[in-house]
Amino acid sequence: MTGTDFAEWLRGRSDELLRALVAARPELVTPVPAHIDGLAARASSPSAIGRALDRLDRFTLAVLETLALRPGPADRETLLSLLRRAVPADHDDETLGSALDAALGVLTTRALVYGAADALLPAPGVAEALEPPASLGPPAAEVFRHHPPERLDVLLRDIDPAYEDGRADGERPARERLAALLADPATVARLVGEVSPQAQTALNELVWGPASGRLPNARREVDAANAQSPIEQLLARGLLGATGEETVALPREVALVLRDGRVHRDLSPGPPALEGSVRDQDLADRTAAGQAFTFVRMVEELCEVWSVDPPGVLRTGGLAIRDLRRTAQLLDLPEWAAGLVVEVAHAAGLVAAGEGEWLPTGGYDGWRIKATEDRWAVLADAWAAMERAPGLIGERDDRDRPMNALHPDLRRPGAAQTRARTLAVLEAAPPGLAPTPESVLARLAWEQPRRRPALRDRLVRFALREAEHIGVTGLGVPSSHGRAVARGDGTTADLLGPLLPEAVDHVLLQADLTAVAPGPLTTDLGRRLALMADVESKGGATVYRFSEQSVRRALDAGHSADDLLTVLERHSATPVPQPLRYLVTDVARRHGRIRVGTASAYIRCDDPALLDEVLADKRAHLLRLRRLAPTVLASKTSRAALVDSLRAMGYAPVAESLEGDVVVARADARRTEGQPAARVTANTAPDPEVVAAAVRAMRAGDSRRRPVEAPEGQVPRSPATATISALQDAIRQGTRVWIGYLDSQGHATSRILEPARMEGGYLTAYDETRATVHRFALHRITGIAEIGR
C-alpha cells in the first residue's frame, strides 16, 4: 500500500474518528489542511510522526515496532503470537489480547497504523521514524553497503561453499544473497557454531542492543581461515560488519535470528507497579496541609520583605547569589527551598522585575487577602505549570557560570510536561502509598520510553522534592489536595481548607517585650504585628519581639502611638504590659521632633536646644551642618542619608516634603506589573468545537465543492444583543447562519457560517463561503439571519 492508499483510508474514516485523530494529534491542524490529502501528507511528515511516537507507552510502541519489522501486512493473531514470546508467562492470553486491542486502537486512532483489520500496516514514514526499532542494528544491506564486490565475494565463499564469484545474469546481487543467507536461521546457527565461545559471548552482548561497537582497524580484511581474535571470527563470517574505520554493527537479520523470533526481550503489557512505604492517609493529608500553610507563609513573607528592601535585577537577568542567600536566611530555609519560594512567587505573578529591582506586583495585593487554601491553590497551580526548573539553581551551565534564581537559563521546554506527568503518576498511587523515586521513574520510563532519560529523571527527582516542600505530598504520600492539583478539577481549595489550622485573631503579650502567637494569625493581624515587631522564632507558636526600631518602623508607616496601643489592646488576650506601653509612648514622644527636608537637605526642629545637641555631637561632623535659624540646620547631604545618619546617632527624625508634610513610608507602597502563568496540563487537547470545525473544513476542501453563495439582497442587520443571542443558539444547536460582516476596509459582506465557539470578543466558525475555519470579530458583525440547513 502507498501514500495514496493511506489518504484513501483516512478519507474513509468517519467524522468521529477524524475528530479523535485531530484531538490526539492537534499539531496536524495547525494550520488546518485544505483537504484530506493534505492531512495525510502532514500526518506522514517526520516531525509529526516523531511527536506522535513520543506520546506512546512502551507496550504500544513495541506493538508498532513489531508491525514495522514485518515485511508485509499482519493481522491481530500474527501480532499476538509474536508478542506472546516476549511477554512473561504470568500474563495470560486474555490480558495480553486486551492490551493488544487497546494498543491497536490507539495506533489506528492516531493514524500510525492503517488498513483492514486482517492487513494492518504502519503508516507511511513510521518505519523510517522508528529507526532503529527495538534496539536493533541496521539491515545487512545497509551494513555491507560500502563493502567492495571482491570483499562480498570473500564473505559469501566463507558463508556458502556453493557460491561462485560474481553472478550470472538473472541472479541476485551479492549483497542481496548475503542478506538472504544471514536471515536464514539454519545458516546463522551453523556460522555461530563455527566461532569460539569468546566470539559467541561477544555476539550475545550485541543481540539485545546496543547493536554497534568500536574496533580499531575494523575494515581490515580477513577470511575465516585466518581469523584469530573473536571479533575477526565474527567479521569473517558476516555475523558482524564494519560500518566505518573503527565501528562495527550486528546486522538486523542476524539479531532477529539470535533473538529466537522475539522482537523484544522482556515486554509487559501494563505499567510497572508503584512501590514504597504505606502510611496513614489522614496523617499524610494533615502533614501536607501543614507544609502547604508554611509555604504560603513563606511566599507572603518574601513579598513583604521585598516590598521594603527589594533586591536588584542582575544585568543578565535573575537574582544575585548573595541576595538568594540573604533571602534564605530571612526565611530560615535552605537555599534550594528559598529558590523554590522565589520561583513559584514569580510564576504565580506575585513577583516581577521592575525598574532594576525585584518587586511584588499588584496581583500580590489581591492574592494576600484571599483565604489560605485559595492562596495555596494559586501557588500550586503556578508551580505545576511553570516551564522552569528551580532545582537547577546553584548549578553551573555549559560555560561554567552559576545558574541564578529567576534567570532565563532555568527555563526547560519539558519541565512543565514532566512535572505534570509526575503528578499524574502520584495521583494514580493507591491511598497511603509513598512511592519511591525509583518506582516513579520506572513508571514514567514505561509511559514515555522515547523521552531523554537523563534530563527527565533529574526533573522528576526535582518535582518529587518540590512536591513535598510545597505540600502536594506529605510524608511522601500524595495528599488529597495534591491529587486535585494533578487532576486540575478546581477542588484543591475545598479539599485543603478543612485540613488547615484555624487562624487566630489574638496574641499573648509578655512583659519581656515579646508577643506569642498561639497559631496562624489572621492576615490583617499578621501584617500589623509584622510592622510593629520582628519575628524572633518560629514553630508551633511564633514569637515576635518589640524594639525601638520596630516601633519606629510602624510610626514611619503613618501610625500613631494611640493606633498601635489600640491594636495591641484589641488583639491581646492579656493586658498590655507596662514596659511595652512605655516603649511605644517613649518612641512616639521622640518620633518626628526633628524634621528633615531638602536643601540639599535641612533639619527643622521646634526645640533649639535639641539642634544645639546635634551640632555639638562629633558624629555630625561628616554631615557638614550649618545653622540657618534657631530652629533650622542645613546640610549638603541628601535627605535620605541625613535621616539615616541621625537615626544612627540615636535620634528619631522623620522626612518631610517640600510643602512641610510628613513623608509617610509605607511597606507596601512599591509595586510593579506582572501576570500570573497559565495552567498547563500533561495533555493539552484542543477545544472539541474547534476540532469539529477543522474536520468540516477538511471534508469541504476534500470534496472540492464550490463555495456556498450567500443569499442575494441586503446583508443582515440586527441589534447586537439579538446577534449574540442568535449566535449562542446556533452554537448549541449546530445550525448554520447567515451574517453580515464588515471587512478591514469597512465594506459589508455576506457569510454563511457554522459557529463553533464564542469567547474574548471573537467568534470561531467554519466559513462555508470560503471553505475554511476563521475567527470573526463580534463588533464587525452587522446582523444575523437563519437559513435552511
Side-chain angles (χ1 to χ4, degrees):
M1 299 179 77
T2 63
T4 303
D5 299 324
F6 178 61
E8 289 298 325
W9 178 80
L10 278 178
R11 188 171 288 110
R13 306 283 279 175
S14 66
D15 285 357
E16 180 181 0
L17 292 175
L18 285 181
R19 288 194 292 269
L21 167 61
V22 172
R25 300 174 64 180
E27 62 275 4
L28 298 183
V29 291
T30 310
V32 178
H35 39 62
I36 299 296
D37 288 334
L39 176 67
R42 191 172 298 173
S44 303
S45 65
S47 60
I49 292 175
R51 295 184 66 175
L53 294 179
D54 288 343
R55 302 185 184 112
L56 300 181
D57 61 55
R58 189 183 299 279
F59 182 77
T60 305
L61 183 63
V63 173
L64 186 58
E65 288 175 331
T66 302
L67 182 62
L69 286 170
R70 286 190 52 79
D75 56 17
R76 177 187 181 277
E77 296 306 317
T78 301
L79 292 174
L80 185 63
S81 64
L82 291 172
L83 293 169
R84 163 48 71 192
R85 303 174 186 177
V87 174
D90 55 351
H91 290 82
D92 54 54
D93 289 341
E94 183 178 354
T95 301
L96 179 59
S98 298
L100 175 59
D101 291 337
L104 289 176
V106 169
L107 294 173
T108 53
T109 297
R110 301 181 185 182
L112 295 172
V113 167
Y114 75 110
D118 58 350
L120 297 172
L121 282 170
V126 168
E128 292 76 7
L130 285 172
E131 285 292 334
S135 300
L136 290 166
E142 181 69 21
V143 172
F144 298 103
R145 181 175 59 177
H146 298 295
H147 284 56
E150 55 273 15
R151 176 57 184 161
L152 294 177
D153 286 337
V154 172
L155 280 174
L156 283 170
R157 282 199 306 270
D158 289 337
I159 295 173
D160 184 6
Y163 175 75
E164 298 181 359
D165 290 354
R167 65 184 180 89
D169 292 340
E171 292 183 354
R172 289 179 297 176
R175 191 175 294 108
E176 292 185 12
R177 292 191 61 180
L178 179 59
L181 287 171
L182 294 178
D184 177 36
T187 302
V188 172
R190 175 174 56 82
L191 295 175
V192 171
E194 294 175 357
V195 300
S196 65
Q198 294 82 359
Q200 294 179 15
T201 300
L203 190 63
N204 290 334
E205 292 179 356
L206 299 174
V207 168
W208 294 104
S212 60
R214 300 189 63 84
L215 178 69
N217 198 17
R219 289 193 181 276
R220 185 169 65 89
E221 296 184 4
V222 59
D223 56 26
N226 298 320
Q228 299 297 323
S229 69
I231 300 300
E232 287 180 349
Q233 296 175 29
L234 298 175
L235 290 170
R237 290 167 175 80
L239 297 175
L240 285 182
T243 56
E245 294 297 332
E246 295 185 351
T247 56
V248 295
L250 178 66
R252 181 173 300 176
E253 293 83 350
V254 176
L256 288 173
V257 171
L258 295 178
R259 289 184 181 188
D260 194 23
R262 289 184 295 167
V263 175
H264 301 87
R265 182 181 230 171
D266 187 9
L267 186 60
S268 174
L274 294 174
E275 300 176 349
S277 304
V278 178
R279 298 185 171 93
D280 181 68
Q281 183 65 53
D282 291 338
L283 175 61
D285 286 345
R286 294 194 299 272
T287 303
Q291 293 163 183
F293 174 82
T294 300
F295 190 77
V296 171
R297 188 176 65 177
M298 291 295 101
V299 172
E300 184 176 8
E301 188 172 342
L302 171 81
C303 293
E304 291 296 329
V305 170
W306 283 11
S307 295
V308 180
D309 187 17
V313 179
L314 294 176
R315 184 178 59 183
T316 57
L319 182 70
I321 295 177
R322 65 178 180 276
D323 289 326
L324 178 62
R325 290 174 179 168
R326 184 180 64 172
T327 300
Q329 292 174 353
L330 289 172
L331 300 180
D332 193 21
L333 293 173
E335 286 189 25
W336 73 265
L340 176 63
V341 171
V342 170
E343 287 286 343
V344 172
H346 178 260
L350 307 181
V351 169
E355 299 181 358
E357 295 176 321
W358 292 106
L359 290 166
T361 67
Y364 167 66
D365 296 311
W367 174 83
R368 73 183 181 188
I369 63 176
K370 295 181 178 180
T372 302
E373 57 268 26
D374 293 319
R375 287 188 284 168
W376 186 81
V378 171
L379 298 177
D381 284 347
W383 167 73
M386 64 183 184
E387 292 280 358
R388 299 170 61 78
L392 297 175
I393 295 174
E395 298 188 3
R396 309 192 79 83
D397 60 15
D398 296 337
R399 289 179 285 182
D400 199 35
R401 298 181 306 181
M403 289 187 282
N404 300 331
L406 301 177
H407 195 278
D409 287 348
L410 290 183
R411 184 176 299 277
R412 293 293 182 274
Q417 292 293 326
T418 301
R419 197 177 295 113
R421 295 303 308 167
T422 303
L423 289 176
V425 171
L426 293 177
E427 200 271 333
L433 178 68
T436 63
E438 291 71 21
S439 66
V440 174
L441 290 172
R443 173 69 69 89
L444 289 175
W446 187 90
E447 291 181 351
Q448 297 177 327
R450 285 171 55 91
R451 298 286 186 183
R452 288 187 299 167
L455 177 60
R456 178 193 61 205
D457 290 359
R458 294 197 67 200
L459 293 177
V460 170
R461 292 186 183 276
F462 290 155
L464 293 174
R465 180 178 68 172
E466 294 163 6
E468 185 73 15
H469 187 74
I470 288 176
V472 172
T473 61
L475 304 175
V477 179
S479 63
S480 57
H481 52 276
R483 294 174 189 269
V485 174
R487 294 191 301 268
D489 56 8
T491 62
T492 303
D494 295 336
L495 293 171
L496 176 61
L499 300 173
L500 292 174
E502 292 187 8
V504 298
D505 61 352
H506 66 276
V507 294
L508 304 176
L509 296 177
Q510 303 184 113
D512 61 350
L513 300 181
T514 60
V516 178
L521 298 176
T522 61
T523 301
D524 181 64
L525 178 58
R527 284 179 52 77
R528 289 175 178 268
L529 198 58
L531 186 62
M532 66 179 75
D534 298 314
V535 175
E536 187 171 82
S537 65
K538 301 175 182 177
T542 304
V543 178
Y544 295 84
R545 177 166 294 280
F546 296 90
S547 65
E548 182 177 340
Q549 291 78 14
S550 66
V551 172
R552 188 175 63 203
R553 181 174 66 225
L555 297 173
D556 286 343
H559 298 286
S560 66
D562 290 340
D563 293 337
L564 302 184
L565 291 174
T566 299
V567 170
L568 294 176
E569 291 170 351
R570 183 187 311 140
H571 295 286
S572 175
T574 58
V576 178
Q578 193 174 50
L580 179 56
R581 190 180 294 274
Y582 284 167
L583 174 67
V584 173
T585 55
D586 183 60
V587 173
R589 177 179 55 81
R590 294 183 289 113
H591 185 267
R593 293 181 62 194
I594 292 180
R595 302 292 183 92
V596 176
T598 301
S600 273
Y602 65 84
I603 301 176
R604 182 171 66 85
C605 181
D606 295 335
D607 184 0
L610 184 57
L611 294 186
D612 293 338
E613 181 182 336
V614 171
L615 284 173
D617 197 316
K618 293 182 179 180
R619 293 172 294 178
H621 175 70
L622 297 178
L623 300 179
R624 302 176 67 182
L625 300 174
R626 63 188 181 89
R627 200 159 203 152
L628 300 181
T631 59
V632 180
L633 299 179
S635 173
K636 290 188 177 181
T637 60
S638 66
R639 183 175 65 185
L642 189 54
V643 170
D644 291 341
S645 298
L646 290 173
R647 286 178 175 172
M649 294 164 60
Y651 301 98
V654 295
E656 69 178 18
S657 66
L658 293 175
E659 292 77 18
D661 299 325
V662 175
V663 177
V664 177
R666 293 187 58 85
D668 58 351
R670 302 192 63 186
R671 293 290 183 266
T672 187
E673 296 181 357
Q675 294 293 331
R679 181 75 169 100
V680 175
T681 58
N683 296 300
T684 305
D687 191 290
E689 296 169 343
V690 175
V691 169
V695 171
R696 286 198 299 268
M698 289 186 291
R699 289 290 195 197
D702 193 52
S703 64
R704 292 178 173 82
R705 63 185 181 184
R706 297 181 61 185
V708 176
E709 297 292 338
E712 296 182 359
Q714 295 294 325
V715 297
R717 295 188 180 276
S718 59
T721 54
T723 299
I724 298 299
S725 177
L727 287 173
Q728 291 173 341
D729 290 341
I731 292 173
R732 285 193 298 267
Q733 300 171 12
T735 58
R736 298 188 303 170
V737 294
W738 172 30
I739 69 166
Y741 192 71
L742 297 177
D743 60 20
S744 57
Q745 285 76 36
H747 300 144
T749 60
S750 293
R751 307 287 184 93
I752 302 299
L753 307 181
E754 290 187 26
R757 67 174 178 178
M758 187 166 47
E759 64 180 7
Y762 286 88
L763 170 69
T764 301
Y766 172 61
D767 185 354
E768 291 195 3
T769 56
R770 288 164 173 76
T772 185
V773 177
H774 189 67
R775 295 182 74 204
F776 299 88
L778 291 176
H779 68 275
R780 289 187 176 182
I781 299 177
T782 63
I784 188 170
E786 293 185 359
I787 62 175
R789 291 182 61 87

